[in-house]
Short mmCIF file of all heavy atoms in Angstrom, two decimals:
data_model
loop_
_atom_site.label_atom_id
_atom_site.label_comp_id
_atom_site.label_asym_id
_atom_site.label_seq_id
_atom_site.Cartn_x
_atom_site.Cartn_y
_atom_site.Cartn_z
N ARG A 253 43.15 -33.69 -30.52
CA ARG A 253 43.37 -32.59 -31.46
C ARG A 253 42.66 -31.35 -30.96
O ARG A 253 41.58 -31.43 -30.36
CB ARG A 253 42.84 -33.01 -32.83
CG ARG A 253 43.62 -34.16 -33.45
CD ARG A 253 43.19 -34.41 -34.87
NE ARG A 253 41.80 -34.07 -35.09
CZ ARG A 253 40.90 -34.86 -35.64
NH1 ARG A 253 41.22 -36.06 -36.01
NH2 ARG A 253 39.65 -34.43 -35.83
N PRO A 254 43.19 -30.12 -31.23
CA PRO A 254 42.60 -28.88 -30.72
C PRO A 254 41.13 -28.70 -31.08
O PRO A 254 40.33 -28.39 -30.22
CB PRO A 254 43.45 -27.79 -31.36
CG PRO A 254 44.77 -28.44 -31.62
CD PRO A 254 44.48 -29.88 -31.94
N ALA A 255 40.74 -28.95 -32.32
CA ALA A 255 39.37 -28.77 -32.71
C ALA A 255 38.48 -29.79 -31.99
O ALA A 255 37.39 -29.49 -31.52
CB ALA A 255 39.18 -28.90 -34.20
N ASP A 256 38.96 -31.01 -31.91
CA ASP A 256 38.22 -32.05 -31.22
C ASP A 256 38.08 -31.71 -29.73
O ASP A 256 37.05 -31.92 -29.12
CB ASP A 256 38.89 -33.43 -31.37
CG ASP A 256 38.80 -33.96 -32.79
OD1 ASP A 256 37.95 -33.46 -33.55
OD2 ASP A 256 39.59 -34.88 -33.13
N SER A 257 39.16 -31.25 -29.14
CA SER A 257 39.12 -30.95 -27.71
C SER A 257 38.19 -29.78 -27.39
O SER A 257 37.49 -29.82 -26.38
CB SER A 257 40.53 -30.70 -27.18
OG SER A 257 41.08 -29.52 -27.76
N LEU A 258 38.13 -28.80 -28.26
CA LEU A 258 37.21 -27.66 -28.03
C LEU A 258 35.77 -28.15 -28.12
O LEU A 258 34.95 -27.83 -27.26
CB LEU A 258 37.46 -26.54 -29.03
CG LEU A 258 36.58 -25.31 -28.87
CD1 LEU A 258 36.79 -24.66 -27.51
CD2 LEU A 258 36.85 -24.31 -29.98
N GLU A 259 35.48 -28.98 -29.13
CA GLU A 259 34.13 -29.53 -29.25
C GLU A 259 33.81 -30.43 -28.07
O GLU A 259 32.71 -30.39 -27.53
CB GLU A 259 34.01 -30.29 -30.55
CG GLU A 259 33.95 -29.39 -31.77
CD GLU A 259 33.93 -30.18 -33.07
OE1 GLU A 259 33.50 -31.35 -33.05
OE2 GLU A 259 34.34 -29.62 -34.09
N ALA A 260 34.79 -31.18 -27.66
CA ALA A 260 34.60 -32.10 -26.50
C ALA A 260 34.36 -31.27 -25.23
O ALA A 260 33.48 -31.60 -24.44
CB ALA A 260 35.79 -33.01 -26.33
N LEU A 261 35.14 -30.22 -25.07
CA LEU A 261 34.93 -29.32 -23.92
C LEU A 261 33.54 -28.72 -23.93
O LEU A 261 32.84 -28.69 -22.91
CB LEU A 261 35.95 -28.17 -23.93
CG LEU A 261 37.29 -28.43 -23.32
CD1 LEU A 261 38.24 -27.23 -23.60
CD2 LEU A 261 37.18 -28.64 -21.83
N GLN A 262 33.13 -28.29 -25.09
CA GLN A 262 31.82 -27.64 -25.17
C GLN A 262 30.70 -28.64 -24.91
O GLN A 262 29.76 -28.33 -24.18
CB GLN A 262 31.62 -27.00 -26.56
CG GLN A 262 30.44 -26.04 -26.60
CD GLN A 262 30.47 -25.15 -27.82
OE1 GLN A 262 31.23 -25.38 -28.76
NE2 GLN A 262 29.60 -24.19 -27.87
N ARG A 263 30.81 -29.84 -25.47
CA ARG A 263 29.77 -30.86 -25.20
C ARG A 263 29.74 -31.22 -23.72
O ARG A 263 28.67 -31.35 -23.13
CB ARG A 263 30.05 -32.14 -26.01
CG ARG A 263 29.51 -32.08 -27.42
CD ARG A 263 29.54 -33.46 -28.06
NE ARG A 263 30.85 -34.16 -27.99
CZ ARG A 263 31.82 -33.98 -28.85
NH1 ARG A 263 31.69 -33.19 -29.90
NH2 ARG A 263 32.98 -34.62 -28.72
N ARG A 264 30.91 -31.31 -23.13
CA ARG A 264 30.99 -31.79 -21.74
C ARG A 264 30.61 -30.71 -20.72
O ARG A 264 29.98 -30.99 -19.73
CB ARG A 264 32.40 -32.27 -21.48
CG ARG A 264 32.55 -32.87 -20.12
CD ARG A 264 33.87 -33.57 -20.01
NE ARG A 264 33.93 -34.27 -18.74
CZ ARG A 264 34.93 -34.96 -18.35
NH1 ARG A 264 36.00 -35.08 -19.18
NH2 ARG A 264 34.95 -35.58 -17.20
N TYR A 265 30.99 -29.42 -21.00
CA TYR A 265 30.88 -28.39 -19.94
C TYR A 265 29.90 -27.26 -20.27
O TYR A 265 29.71 -26.37 -19.46
CB TYR A 265 32.24 -27.79 -19.64
CG TYR A 265 33.21 -28.82 -19.08
CD1 TYR A 265 34.29 -29.24 -19.80
CD2 TYR A 265 33.01 -29.37 -17.82
CE1 TYR A 265 35.16 -30.18 -19.31
CE2 TYR A 265 33.87 -30.29 -17.31
CZ TYR A 265 34.96 -30.71 -18.04
OH TYR A 265 35.81 -31.65 -17.55
N ASP A 266 29.31 -27.28 -21.43
CA ASP A 266 28.43 -26.16 -21.80
C ASP A 266 27.26 -25.99 -20.83
O ASP A 266 27.01 -24.89 -20.35
CB ASP A 266 27.90 -26.36 -23.22
CG ASP A 266 27.19 -25.09 -23.71
OD1 ASP A 266 27.89 -24.05 -23.89
OD2 ASP A 266 25.98 -25.13 -23.90
N ASN A 267 26.58 -27.05 -20.50
CA ASN A 267 25.42 -26.98 -19.58
C ASN A 267 25.89 -26.52 -18.20
O ASN A 267 25.26 -25.72 -17.52
CB ASN A 267 24.66 -28.30 -19.49
CG ASN A 267 23.86 -28.53 -20.75
OD1 ASN A 267 23.46 -27.59 -21.43
ND2 ASN A 267 23.64 -29.80 -21.09
N TRP A 268 27.03 -27.09 -17.74
CA TRP A 268 27.57 -26.71 -16.44
C TRP A 268 27.92 -25.23 -16.41
O TRP A 268 27.58 -24.50 -15.48
CB TRP A 268 28.81 -27.55 -16.12
CG TRP A 268 29.52 -27.00 -14.92
CD1 TRP A 268 29.27 -27.26 -13.63
CD2 TRP A 268 30.60 -26.06 -14.93
NE1 TRP A 268 30.10 -26.54 -12.80
CE2 TRP A 268 30.91 -25.78 -13.59
CE3 TRP A 268 31.28 -25.38 -15.94
CZ2 TRP A 268 31.93 -24.90 -13.22
CZ3 TRP A 268 32.30 -24.50 -15.58
CH2 TRP A 268 32.60 -24.24 -14.21
N LEU A 269 28.55 -24.75 -17.48
CA LEU A 269 28.96 -23.33 -17.58
C LEU A 269 27.72 -22.45 -17.57
O LEU A 269 27.69 -21.42 -16.87
CB LEU A 269 29.78 -23.11 -18.86
CG LEU A 269 30.32 -21.69 -19.05
CD1 LEU A 269 31.29 -21.29 -17.92
CD2 LEU A 269 31.05 -21.60 -20.38
N ARG A 270 26.68 -22.79 -18.30
CA ARG A 270 25.47 -22.01 -18.31
C ARG A 270 24.85 -21.92 -16.91
O ARG A 270 24.43 -20.84 -16.48
CB ARG A 270 24.43 -22.63 -19.28
CG ARG A 270 24.76 -22.39 -20.71
CD ARG A 270 23.75 -23.08 -21.64
NE ARG A 270 24.28 -23.11 -22.99
CZ ARG A 270 24.33 -22.06 -23.81
NH1 ARG A 270 23.89 -20.90 -23.41
NH2 ARG A 270 24.83 -22.20 -25.05
N ARG A 271 24.79 -23.03 -16.23
CA ARG A 271 24.22 -23.02 -14.86
C ARG A 271 25.03 -22.16 -13.93
O ARG A 271 24.50 -21.35 -13.16
CB ARG A 271 24.07 -24.43 -14.33
CG ARG A 271 22.94 -25.22 -14.90
CD ARG A 271 22.70 -26.53 -14.14
NE ARG A 271 23.90 -27.34 -13.97
CZ ARG A 271 24.36 -28.24 -14.88
NH1 ARG A 271 23.68 -28.41 -16.02
NH2 ARG A 271 25.44 -28.94 -14.64
N ALA A 272 26.35 -22.31 -14.00
CA ALA A 272 27.24 -21.56 -13.12
C ALA A 272 27.14 -20.05 -13.37
O ALA A 272 27.06 -19.23 -12.43
CB ALA A 272 28.69 -22.03 -13.31
N LEU A 273 27.09 -19.67 -14.65
CA LEU A 273 27.00 -18.25 -14.98
C LEU A 273 25.62 -17.69 -14.69
O LEU A 273 25.48 -16.53 -14.28
CB LEU A 273 27.38 -18.02 -16.43
CG LEU A 273 28.83 -18.36 -16.78
CD1 LEU A 273 29.08 -18.10 -18.27
CD2 LEU A 273 29.80 -17.61 -15.93
N ARG A 274 24.59 -18.49 -14.86
CA ARG A 274 23.24 -18.03 -14.57
C ARG A 274 23.12 -17.75 -13.07
O ARG A 274 22.53 -16.75 -12.65
CB ARG A 274 22.21 -19.09 -15.02
CG ARG A 274 20.82 -18.55 -15.07
CD ARG A 274 19.81 -19.56 -15.65
NE ARG A 274 20.14 -19.89 -17.02
CZ ARG A 274 20.42 -21.11 -17.46
NH1 ARG A 274 20.39 -22.15 -16.64
NH2 ARG A 274 20.72 -21.31 -18.71
N ARG A 275 23.66 -18.63 -12.24
CA ARG A 275 23.63 -18.40 -10.77
C ARG A 275 24.42 -17.16 -10.42
O ARG A 275 23.99 -16.39 -9.54
CB ARG A 275 24.25 -19.61 -10.04
CG ARG A 275 23.32 -20.75 -9.79
CD ARG A 275 23.90 -21.75 -8.81
NE ARG A 275 25.24 -22.19 -9.12
CZ ARG A 275 25.56 -23.21 -9.90
NH1 ARG A 275 24.61 -23.93 -10.48
NH2 ARG A 275 26.80 -23.55 -10.11
N ARG A 276 25.54 -16.95 -11.05
CA ARG A 276 26.42 -15.86 -10.66
C ARG A 276 26.00 -14.51 -11.24
O ARG A 276 26.08 -13.49 -10.57
CB ARG A 276 27.83 -16.19 -11.11
CG ARG A 276 28.86 -15.17 -10.57
CD ARG A 276 30.24 -15.64 -10.90
NE ARG A 276 30.64 -16.61 -9.92
CZ ARG A 276 31.81 -16.60 -9.32
NH1 ARG A 276 32.67 -15.69 -9.61
NH2 ARG A 276 32.12 -17.54 -8.43
N PHE A 277 25.57 -14.48 -12.50
CA PHE A 277 25.33 -13.24 -13.21
C PHE A 277 23.88 -13.00 -13.66
O PHE A 277 23.55 -11.96 -14.21
CB PHE A 277 26.22 -13.13 -14.43
CG PHE A 277 27.68 -13.15 -14.11
CD1 PHE A 277 28.43 -14.27 -14.39
CD2 PHE A 277 28.30 -12.09 -13.46
CE1 PHE A 277 29.78 -14.31 -14.07
CE2 PHE A 277 29.65 -12.13 -13.14
CZ PHE A 277 30.38 -13.26 -13.44
N GLY A 278 23.02 -14.00 -13.44
CA GLY A 278 21.63 -13.85 -13.86
C GLY A 278 21.40 -14.35 -15.28
O GLY A 278 22.33 -14.48 -16.07
N HIS A 279 20.17 -14.60 -15.58
CA HIS A 279 19.77 -15.19 -16.88
C HIS A 279 20.10 -14.27 -18.05
O HIS A 279 20.51 -14.74 -19.11
CB HIS A 279 18.28 -15.54 -16.85
CG HIS A 279 17.86 -16.30 -18.05
ND1 HIS A 279 18.33 -17.57 -18.35
CD2 HIS A 279 17.02 -15.97 -19.07
CE1 HIS A 279 17.80 -17.97 -19.46
NE2 HIS A 279 16.98 -17.06 -19.94
N GLN A 280 19.90 -12.97 -17.86
CA GLN A 280 20.05 -12.03 -18.96
C GLN A 280 21.49 -11.99 -19.50
O GLN A 280 21.72 -11.99 -20.70
CB GLN A 280 19.64 -10.61 -18.53
CG GLN A 280 19.61 -9.62 -19.63
CD GLN A 280 19.04 -8.28 -19.18
OE1 GLN A 280 18.76 -8.11 -18.01
NE2 GLN A 280 18.92 -7.38 -20.09
N ASP A 281 22.49 -11.95 -18.63
CA ASP A 281 23.88 -11.86 -19.06
C ASP A 281 24.49 -13.24 -19.35
O ASP A 281 25.53 -13.31 -19.99
CB ASP A 281 24.70 -11.15 -17.98
CG ASP A 281 24.34 -9.71 -17.83
OD1 ASP A 281 23.86 -9.11 -18.80
OD2 ASP A 281 24.53 -9.16 -16.72
N CYS A 282 23.85 -14.29 -18.89
CA CYS A 282 24.41 -15.61 -19.01
C CYS A 282 24.69 -16.02 -20.45
O CYS A 282 25.81 -16.48 -20.78
CB CYS A 282 23.46 -16.61 -18.38
SG CYS A 282 23.87 -18.31 -18.65
N GLU A 283 23.71 -15.90 -21.34
CA GLU A 283 23.90 -16.38 -22.72
C GLU A 283 25.03 -15.70 -23.44
O GLU A 283 25.82 -16.35 -24.12
CB GLU A 283 22.58 -16.23 -23.48
CG GLU A 283 21.44 -17.12 -23.01
CD GLU A 283 21.81 -18.59 -23.01
OE1 GLU A 283 22.38 -19.08 -24.02
OE2 GLU A 283 21.54 -19.25 -21.99
N GLU A 284 25.11 -14.39 -23.28
CA GLU A 284 26.19 -13.66 -23.96
C GLU A 284 27.56 -14.08 -23.38
O GLU A 284 28.51 -14.26 -24.14
CB GLU A 284 25.99 -12.15 -23.76
CG GLU A 284 27.01 -11.32 -24.48
CD GLU A 284 26.77 -9.82 -24.30
OE1 GLU A 284 25.71 -9.43 -23.80
OE2 GLU A 284 27.67 -9.09 -24.68
#
Side-chain angles (χ1 to χ4, degrees):
R253 295 188 329 232
D256 291 343
S257 63
L258 181 61
E259 288 175 24
L261 275 172
Q262 194 167 9
R263 276 193 308 274
R264 185 169 187 180
Y265 297 111
D266 190 67
N267 287 332
W268 170 85
L269 183 62
R270 286 177 194 285
R271 284 190 309 274
L273 295 180
R274 195 174 297 121
R275 276 192 310 272
R276 187 172 279 226
F277 300 107
H279 186 65
Q280 187 175 4
D281 293 332
C282 171
E283 292 304 315
E284 184 179 349

